Amino acid sequence: MQAFVMNGIGETGMSEKDRPQPGPNDAILKPTVALICTSDVHTVHGAIGERENLTLGHEAVGVVDEVGSEVERFSEGDRVVVGAITPEWGSPAAQDGHPSQSGGALGGWKFANEKDGVFAEYAHVNEADANLAHIPDGVTDEEAVYVCDMLSTGFAGAENAEIPMGGTVAVFAQGPVGLMATKGARLQGAGRVIAVESVPERQELAREYGADEIVDFEAVDPVERIHELTDGEGVDAAIEALGSEETLADCLAVTKPGGTVSNVGYYGEGETVDIPREAWGVGMAEKDIVTDLCPGGSVRLGRLLRLIDAGRVDPTHMTTHEFDFENIDEAFELMASKEDGVIKPLVRF
Ligand code: ZN
């Protein structure tokens, strides 16, 4: 089968591989639609170290091609979504309520990290009963593929932000995760959502997904502007959806004492991430910084699919480009360059 792989830092290409085989609890997925993620770009640029002939990709839906002998809930031909994160559900971390960290820090992240990812004609899914979800008839593959990571991660940013009903939220960066954090904040009952973004197309989508105010950080100082918008009080919660030290500092500066900074940004560079001492209230202003890695699992995927099925969110407006699998290198380069107004490039198999 053909797979799109990383061949050392900065190198990608097509590779001929054997079709994977399922263990007793596993499944083999035949992808139909996938999305390129900025974290795939981080991976190729060396964020998690050297990898050779590693299949990229962690956002895909498709059809079950084969199941292991112990799989009960899925069978060949089922239309399914697989989470970007596929935890080991019996692990101590999962039993403690942190399945994404099963098997060590970020250990639930297996695709295109510990094992081959989904940019291939076939992909291996561990613990299929727990890591796959059936796609409802009313949801298309092109919609469903957004629950793998973008809805799960973006909404986790809003869920972890502990937004009081009617509360104020600032969402820093309106890439696909930030846009879904904006939508998630609205669904969580925020009374005012302030989106920080400079790119016009992203500003427009942010409004569509529920932002009440847009702060263009290239035109104004976002910290000053958010304090103005909140009568000097600051927001109940800030969501970091970029992964930059500067943005994290701004999140702390705009969050009121007792509030929450919810981080879903991926800090892909550098040795340290500095926290500004005064903005953090010298460590004593009860400004919590909470972090998350995309939550996975069949139950959560099913809930996210229900939101699409019920018309609460239409993620497809983030699909700016489409490519066939044989041209996936072009999709990847587009995501790396961030040119042509790209938000999410979709790949068809
Ligand atoms: Zn992703």
Side-chain angles (χ1 to χ4, degrees):
M1 66 169 196
Q2 289 286 302
F4 183 66
V5 302
M6 168 177 179
N7 268 325
I9 291 172
E11 296 293 322
T12 57
M14 280 290 182
S15 176
E16 181 70 28
K17 292 194 178 191
D18 290 338
R19 177 187 176 281
Q21 300 297 320
N25 296 305
D26 309 333
I28 303 303
L29 176 78
K30 185 163 178 48
T32 52
V33 163
L35 294 167
I36 312 270
C37 187
T38 300
S39 56
D40 294 312
V41 176
H42 287 314
T43 296
V44 171
H45 290 166
I48 57 171
E50 275 286 353
R51 296 289 193 282
E52 274 302 319
N53 200 24
L54 176 78
T55 305
L56 292 162
H58 55 264
E59 301 180 26
V61 298
V63 174
V64 173
D65 197 64
E66 186 182 355
V67 292
S69 57
E70 302 299 316
V71 173
E72 294 179 354
R73 298 179 53 229
F74 297 90
S75 32
E76 192 186 328
D78 288 0
R79 204 163 66 93
V80 293
V81 54
V82 59
I85 301 300
T86 52
E88 292 147 53
W89 291 92
S91 66
Q95 292 179 47
D96 269 342
H98 302 284
S100 295
Q101 314 300 328
S102 64
L106 316 188
W109 174 18
K110 307 208 177 295
F111 285 136
N113 181 17
E114 288 181 9
K115 70 171 191 181
D116 281 336
V118 298
F119 294 160
E121 290 174 90
Y122 299 92
H124 174 273
V125 179
N126 59 293
E127 300 190 26
D129 279 335
N131 286 320
L132 292 175
H134 287 109
I135 301 174
D137 290 343
V139 177
T140 65
D141 289 5
E142 291 79 2
E143 293 170 321
V145 71
Y146 277 96
V147 310
C148 307
D149 188 357
M150 298 301 96
L151 260 71
S152 192
T153 301
F155 287 4
E159 290 167 275
N160 295 337
E162 308 258 357
I163 303 160
M165 189 72 78
T168 52
V169 188
V171 185
F172 281 76
Q174 296 293 292
V177 167
L179 287 165
M180 287 302 97
T182 292
K183 184 69 194 181
R186 279 296 283 255
L187 290 169
Q188 290 282 106
R192 194 176 203 191
V193 181
I194 303 165
V196 182
E197 179 57 62
S198 66
V199 178
E201 294 89 346
R202 294 179 181 221
Q203 292 177 346
E204 198 181 312
L205 270 181
R207 286 193 195 282
E208 182 189 319
Y209 284 126
D212 301 289
E213 314 272 354
I214 306 287
V215 172
D216 181 346
F217 63 86
E218 287 189 348
V220 294
D221 177 339
V223 173
E224 273 177 28
R225 182 67 188 136
I226 290 168
H227 276 114
E228 272 170 29
L229 287 169
T230 54
D231 298 326
E233 268 193 50
V235 289
D236 292 302
I239 300 173
E240 212 290 359
L242 184 66
S244 104
E245 209 169 73
E246 193 183 348
T247 314
L248 179 63
D250 286 354
C251 283
L252 283 160
V254 301
T255 299
K256 63 172 80 160
T260 302
V261 173
S262 175
N263 184 78
V264 281
Y266 176 167
Y267 300 80
E269 291 172 2
E271 290 295 312
T272 60
V273 178
D274 274 349
I275 293 173
R277 189 178 61 84
E278 285 185 29
W280 196 33
V282 301
M284 294 179 179
E286 300 173 27
K287 295 189 186 185
D288 292 337
I289 303 174
V290 295
T291 74
D292 211 339
L293 168 65
C294 174
S298 193
V299 171
R300 179 177 179 83
L301 294 171
R303 284 197 297 257
L304 298 172
L305 287 163
R306 187 177 300 133
L307 285 169
I308 297 175
D309 201 15
R312 301 279 200 280
V313 55
D314 179 357
T316 61
H317 297 180
M318 292 186 286
T319 304
T320 49
H321 298 73
E322 293 195 14
F323 297 86
D324 290 328
F325 180 52
E326 59 186 17
N327 299 319
I328 190 171
D329 56 329
E330 291 172 33
F332 198 84
E333 277 168 30
L334 179 67
M335 199 55 164
S337 72
K338 294 276 188 289
E339 286 174 354
D340 198 27
V342 66
I343 295 183
K344 273 298 219 188
L346 181 141
V347 176
R348 289 183 192 283
F349 289 77

Short mmCIF file of all heavy atoms in Angstrom, two decimals, residues 22-67:
data_model
loop_
_atom_site.label_atom_id
_atom_site.label_comp_id
_atom_site.label_asym_id
_atom_site.label_seq_id
_atom_site.Cartn_x
_atom_site.Cartn_y
_atom_site.Cartn_z
N PRO A 22 -4.30 -6.57 12.19
CA PRO A 22 -4.86 -6.27 13.51
C PRO A 22 -4.51 -7.32 14.55
O PRO A 22 -4.50 -8.52 14.24
CB PRO A 22 -6.38 -6.28 13.24
CG PRO A 22 -6.56 -7.25 12.11
CD PRO A 22 -5.29 -7.20 11.29
N GLY A 23 -4.24 -6.88 15.79
CA GLY A 23 -4.21 -7.79 16.93
C GLY A 23 -5.65 -8.11 17.31
O GLY A 23 -6.59 -7.60 16.69
N PRO A 24 -5.87 -8.94 18.33
CA PRO A 24 -7.23 -9.37 18.68
C PRO A 24 -8.20 -8.21 18.98
O PRO A 24 -9.39 -8.30 18.66
CB PRO A 24 -7.03 -10.22 19.94
CG PRO A 24 -5.60 -10.57 19.99
CD PRO A 24 -4.84 -9.58 19.16
N ASN A 25 -7.69 -7.12 19.57
CA ASN A 25 -8.58 -6.00 19.96
C ASN A 25 -8.55 -4.84 18.97
O ASN A 25 -9.11 -3.79 19.24
CB ASN A 25 -8.16 -5.47 21.34
CG ASN A 25 -8.35 -6.51 22.41
OD1 ASN A 25 -9.44 -7.05 22.58
ND2 ASN A 25 -7.28 -6.82 23.14
N ASP A 26 -7.87 -5.02 17.86
CA ASP A 26 -7.61 -3.90 16.95
C ASP A 26 -8.49 -3.94 15.70
O ASP A 26 -9.21 -4.90 15.47
CB ASP A 26 -6.14 -3.91 16.53
CG ASP A 26 -5.20 -4.02 17.72
OD1 ASP A 26 -5.60 -3.58 18.83
OD2 ASP A 26 -4.09 -4.54 17.56
N ALA A 27 -8.38 -2.89 14.92
CA ALA A 27 -9.07 -2.85 13.63
C ALA A 27 -8.14 -2.25 12.58
O ALA A 27 -7.18 -1.55 12.91
CB ALA A 27 -10.34 -2.01 13.73
N ILE A 28 -8.45 -2.54 11.33
CA ILE A 28 -7.76 -1.88 10.22
C ILE A 28 -8.77 -0.95 9.55
O ILE A 28 -9.87 -1.37 9.18
CB ILE A 28 -7.22 -2.90 9.20
CG1 ILE A 28 -6.28 -3.89 9.90
CG2 ILE A 28 -6.52 -2.18 8.05
CD1 ILE A 28 -5.08 -3.28 10.61
N LEU A 29 -8.38 0.32 9.45
CA LEU A 29 -9.23 1.35 8.86
C LEU A 29 -8.77 1.61 7.43
O LEU A 29 -7.57 1.72 7.16
CB LEU A 29 -9.09 2.64 9.68
CG LEU A 29 -9.83 3.87 9.16
CD1 LEU A 29 -11.32 3.77 9.51
CD2 LEU A 29 -9.24 5.16 9.73
N LYS A 30 -9.76 1.71 6.53
CA LYS A 30 -9.45 2.17 5.17
C LYS A 30 -9.92 3.61 5.09
O LYS A 30 -11.14 3.87 4.97
CB LYS A 30 -10.15 1.28 4.15
CG LYS A 30 -9.77 1.62 2.73
CD LYS A 30 -10.12 0.51 1.75
CE LYS A 30 -9.77 0.89 0.31
NZ LYS A 30 -8.40 1.44 0.13
N PRO A 31 -9.01 4.59 5.18
CA PRO A 31 -9.43 5.99 5.21
C PRO A 31 -10.14 6.42 3.92
O PRO A 31 -9.80 5.95 2.82
CB PRO A 31 -8.13 6.76 5.38
CG PRO A 31 -7.18 5.79 6.00
CD PRO A 31 -7.55 4.46 5.39
N THR A 32 -11.13 7.29 4.08
CA THR A 32 -11.80 7.90 2.93
C THR A 32 -11.48 9.39 2.82
O THR A 32 -11.33 9.92 1.73
CB THR A 32 -13.33 7.75 3.04
OG1 THR A 32 -13.75 8.24 4.33
CG2 THR A 32 -13.76 6.30 2.89
N VAL A 33 -11.38 10.03 3.98
CA VAL A 33 -11.12 11.47 4.04
C VAL A 33 -10.20 11.74 5.22
O VAL A 33 -10.37 11.14 6.28
CB VAL A 33 -12.45 12.24 4.22
CG1 VAL A 33 -12.22 13.66 4.68
CG2 VAL A 33 -13.26 12.25 2.92
N ALA A 34 -9.23 12.63 5.03
CA ALA A 34 -8.33 13.01 6.13
C ALA A 34 -8.09 14.51 6.09
O ALA A 34 -8.38 15.17 5.10
CB ALA A 34 -7.01 12.25 6.02
N LEU A 35 -7.57 15.03 7.19
CA LEU A 35 -7.20 16.44 7.26
C LEU A 35 -5.73 16.55 7.64
O LEU A 35 -5.23 15.76 8.45
CB LEU A 35 -8.04 17.17 8.32
CG LEU A 35 -9.53 17.31 8.06
CD1 LEU A 35 -10.24 17.75 9.35
CD2 LEU A 35 -9.81 18.31 6.94
N ILE A 36 -5.05 17.55 7.07
CA ILE A 36 -3.68 17.84 7.48
C ILE A 36 -3.75 18.73 8.72
O ILE A 36 -4.61 19.61 8.82
CB ILE A 36 -2.91 18.61 6.38
CG1 ILE A 36 -3.10 17.93 5.02
CG2 ILE A 36 -1.45 18.79 6.77
CD1 ILE A 36 -2.13 16.90 4.65
N CYS A 37 -2.84 18.49 9.65
CA CYS A 37 -2.82 19.24 10.91
C CYS A 37 -1.50 19.99 11.03
O CYS A 37 -0.46 19.49 10.57
CB CYS A 37 -2.98 18.27 12.06
SG CYS A 37 -3.17 19.04 13.68
N THR A 38 -1.53 21.14 11.68
CA THR A 38 -0.28 21.88 11.92
C THR A 38 0.69 21.03 12.73
O THR A 38 1.90 21.14 12.57
CB THR A 38 -0.58 23.20 12.64
OG1 THR A 38 -1.43 23.97 11.79
CG2 THR A 38 0.68 24.00 12.91
N SER A 39 0.17 20.14 13.58
CA SER A 39 1.10 19.33 14.36
C SER A 39 1.84 18.31 13.49
O SER A 39 2.94 17.89 13.82
CB SER A 39 0.43 18.67 15.57
OG SER A 39 -0.65 17.91 15.18
N ASP A 40 1.26 17.91 12.34
CA ASP A 40 2.03 17.10 11.38
C ASP A 40 3.25 17.89 10.89
O ASP A 40 4.33 17.33 10.69
CB ASP A 40 1.17 16.72 10.15
CG ASP A 40 0.00 15.81 10.48
OD1 ASP A 40 0.22 14.81 11.18
OD2 ASP A 40 -1.12 16.09 10.02
N VAL A 41 3.03 19.19 10.67
CA VAL A 41 4.13 20.05 10.22
C VAL A 41 5.20 20.17 11.31
O VAL A 41 6.40 20.05 11.04
CB VAL A 41 3.59 21.44 9.82
CG1 VAL A 41 4.73 22.38 9.43
CG2 VAL A 41 2.57 21.32 8.67
N HIS A 42 4.74 20.35 12.57
CA HIS A 42 5.70 20.40 13.70
C HIS A 42 6.53 19.11 13.74
O HIS A 42 7.73 19.15 13.95
CB HIS A 42 4.96 20.51 15.03
CG HIS A 42 4.35 21.86 15.30
ND1 HIS A 42 5.02 23.03 15.09
CD2 HIS A 42 3.13 22.21 15.79
CE1 HIS A 42 4.24 24.05 15.43
NE2 HIS A 42 3.08 23.58 15.85
N THR A 43 5.85 17.97 13.54
CA THR A 43 6.54 16.68 13.60
C THR A 43 7.64 16.60 12.55
O THR A 43 8.77 16.24 12.86
CB THR A 43 5.52 15.53 13.40
OG1 THR A 43 4.59 15.55 14.48
CG2 THR A 43 6.21 14.18 13.35
N VAL A 44 7.30 16.98 11.32
CA VAL A 44 8.30 16.92 10.25
C VAL A 44 9.46 17.88 10.51
O VAL A 44 10.60 17.60 10.15
CB VAL A 44 7.64 17.18 8.88
CG1 VAL A 44 8.68 17.33 7.78
CG2 VAL A 44 6.69 16.03 8.53
N HIS A 45 9.17 18.98 11.19
CA HIS A 45 10.24 19.94 11.49
C HIS A 45 11.04 19.56 12.73
O HIS A 45 11.88 20.33 13.19
CB HIS A 45 9.65 21.35 11.62
CG HIS A 45 9.20 21.90 10.30
ND1 HIS A 45 8.40 23.01 10.17
CD2 HIS A 45 9.44 21.47 9.03
CE1 HIS A 45 8.16 23.24 8.88
NE2 HIS A 45 8.78 22.32 8.18
N GLY A 46 10.74 18.38 13.30
CA GLY A 46 11.61 17.87 14.37
C GLY A 46 11.10 18.05 15.79
O GLY A 46 11.85 17.81 16.74
N ALA A 47 9.83 18.47 15.95
CA ALA A 47 9.33 18.76 17.31
C ALA A 47 9.37 17.55 18.24
O ALA A 47 9.52 17.69 19.45
CB ALA A 47 7.90 19.32 17.24
N ILE A 48 9.23 16.34 17.69
CA ILE A 48 9.30 15.14 18.54
C ILE A 48 10.51 14.28 18.19
O ILE A 48 10.57 13.10 18.53
CB ILE A 48 7.98 14.31 18.48
CG1 ILE A 48 7.64 13.89 17.04
CG2 ILE A 48 6.82 15.08 19.09
CD1 ILE A 48 6.48 12.90 16.93
N GLY A 49 11.47 14.88 17.50
CA GLY A 49 12.72 14.17 17.22
C GLY A 49 12.72 13.47 15.87
O GLY A 49 11.81 13.64 15.06
N GLU A 50 13.76 12.69 15.65
CA GLU A 50 13.96 11.99 14.37
C GLU A 50 12.95 10.87 14.18
O GLU A 50 12.63 10.15 15.13
CB GLU A 50 15.36 11.36 14.35
CG GLU A 50 16.47 12.29 13.91
CD GLU A 50 16.46 12.56 12.41
OE1 GLU A 50 15.67 11.93 11.68
OE2 GLU A 50 17.25 13.43 11.98
N ARG A 51 12.46 10.73 12.98
CA ARG A 51 11.63 9.57 12.64
C ARG A 51 11.99 9.16 11.22
O ARG A 51 12.21 10.01 10.36
CB ARG A 51 10.13 9.90 12.69
CG ARG A 51 9.59 10.29 14.06
CD ARG A 51 9.54 9.07 14.98
NE ARG A 51 8.74 9.34 16.18
CZ ARG A 51 9.15 10.04 17.23
NH1 ARG A 51 10.36 10.58 17.24
NH2 ARG A 51 8.36 10.22 18.29
N GLU A 52 12.05 7.85 10.98
CA GLU A 52 12.37 7.32 9.65
C GLU A 52 11.19 6.53 9.11
O GLU A 52 10.68 5.63 9.81
CB GLU A 52 13.59 6.38 9.73
CG GLU A 52 14.94 7.10 9.63
CD GLU A 52 15.13 7.90 8.37
OE1 GLU A 52 14.75 7.43 7.27
OE2 GLU A 52 15.65 9.03 8.47
N ASN A 53 10.77 6.83 7.91
CA ASN A 53 9.72 6.06 7.24
C ASN A 53 8.47 5.93 8.13
O ASN A 53 7.85 4.87 8.20
CB ASN A 53 10.25 4.68 6.85
CG ASN A 53 9.41 4.04 5.74
OD1 ASN A 53 8.74 4.72 4.98
ND2 ASN A 53 9.43 2.72 5.69
N LEU A 54 8.15 7.02 8.83
CA LEU A 54 6.97 7.04 9.70
C LEU A 54 5.80 7.66 8.94
O LEU A 54 5.89 8.79 8.46
CB LEU A 54 7.25 7.90 10.95
CG LEU A 54 6.06 8.08 11.89
CD1 LEU A 54 5.86 6.82 12.74
CD2 LEU A 54 6.23 9.31 12.79
N THR A 55 4.70 6.91 8.83
CA THR A 55 3.52 7.43 8.15
C THR A 55 2.93 8.57 8.97
O THR A 55 2.72 8.44 10.18
CB THR A 55 2.46 6.33 7.97
OG1 THR A 55 3.06 5.23 7.29
CG2 THR A 55 1.26 6.83 7.19
N LEU A 56 2.65 9.69 8.30
CA LEU A 56 2.12 10.88 8.97
C LEU A 56 0.60 10.81 9.09
O LEU A 56 -0.04 9.96 8.49
CB LEU A 56 2.55 12.13 8.21
CG LEU A 56 4.06 12.42 8.26
CD1 LEU A 56 4.45 13.39 7.16
CD2 LEU A 56 4.44 12.97 9.63
N GLY A 57 0.03 11.77 9.83
CA GLY A 57 -1.43 11.94 9.87
C GLY A 57 -2.10 11.30 11.07
O GLY A 57 -1.73 10.20 11.48
N HIS A 58 -3.09 12.02 11.62
CA HIS A 58 -3.83 11.50 12.77
C HIS A 58 -5.30 11.93 12.73
O HIS A 58 -6.01 11.77 13.70
CB HIS A 58 -3.18 11.95 14.09
CG HIS A 58 -3.03 13.45 14.16
ND1 HIS A 58 -1.87 14.10 13.81
CD2 HIS A 58 -3.90 14.41 14.50
CE1 HIS A 58 -2.04 15.38 13.94
NE2 HIS A 58 -3.27 15.63 14.35
N GLU A 59 -5.73 12.53 11.61
CA GLU A 59 -7.14 12.95 11.50
C GLU A 59 -7.74 12.29 10.27
O GLU A 59 -7.48 12.71 9.15
CB GLU A 59 -7.23 14.48 11.37
CG GLU A 59 -6.59 15.22 12.55
CD GLU A 59 -6.68 16.74 12.42
OE1 GLU A 59 -7.60 17.24 11.76
OE2 GLU A 59 -5.81 17.42 12.99
N ALA A 60 -8.52 11.23 10.49
CA ALA A 60 -9.11 10.52 9.35
C ALA A 60 -10.40 9.82 9.74
O ALA A 60 -10.59 9.42 10.89
CB ALA A 60 -8.14 9.49 8.79
N VAL A 61 -11.27 9.67 8.76
CA VAL A 61 -12.45 8.80 8.89
C VAL A 61 -12.38 7.80 7.74
O VAL A 61 -11.61 7.97 6.79
CB VAL A 61 -13.78 9.58 8.80
CG1 VAL A 61 -13.89 10.59 9.92
CG2 VAL A 61 -13.92 10.26 7.45
N GLY A 62 -13.19 6.76 7.84
CA GLY A 62 -13.15 5.78 6.78
C GLY A 62 -14.06 4.61 7.06
O GLY A 62 -15.05 4.73 7.79
N VAL A 63 -13.67 3.47 6.49
CA VAL A 63 -14.47 2.26 6.58
C VAL A 63 -13.61 1.18 7.26
O VAL A 63 -12.42 1.07 6.96
CB VAL A 63 -14.90 1.82 5.17
CG1 VAL A 63 -15.61 0.47 5.21
CG2 VAL A 63 -15.79 2.88 4.53
N VAL A 64 -14.24 0.41 8.15
CA VAL A 64 -13.52 -0.68 8.80
C VAL A 64 -13.25 -1.76 7.75
O VAL A 64 -14.17 -2.24 7.08
CB VAL A 64 -14.33 -1.26 9.97
CG1 VAL A 64 -13.65 -2.51 10.54
CG2 VAL A 64 -14.53 -0.21 11.06
N ASP A 65 -11.98 -2.12 7.60
CA ASP A 65 -11.60 -3.11 6.59
C ASP A 65 -11.47 -4.51 7.20
O ASP A 65 -11.69 -5.51 6.53
CB ASP A 65 -10.26 -2.70 5.96
CG ASP A 65 -10.01 -3.43 4.65
OD1 ASP A 65 -10.79 -3.20 3.72
OD2 ASP A 65 -9.06 -4.22 4.59
N GLU A 66 -11.10 -4.54 8.49
CA GLU A 66 -10.93 -5.82 9.18
C GLU A 66 -10.92 -5.56 10.67
O GLU A 66 -10.47 -4.49 11.11
CB GLU A 66 -9.57 -6.44 8.77
CG GLU A 66 -9.34 -7.83 9.31
CD GLU A 66 -7.95 -8.39 8.94
OE1 GLU A 66 -7.23 -7.71 8.17
OE2 GLU A 66 -7.62 -9.48 9.44
N VAL A 67 -11.44 -6.51 11.45
CA VAL A 67 -11.37 -6.38 12.91
C VAL A 67 -10.72 -7.63 13.49
O VAL A 67 -10.81 -8.73 12.92
CB VAL A 67 -12.76 -6.17 13.56
CG1 VAL A 67 -13.34 -4.81 13.18
CG2 VAL A 67 -13.72 -7.28 13.20
#
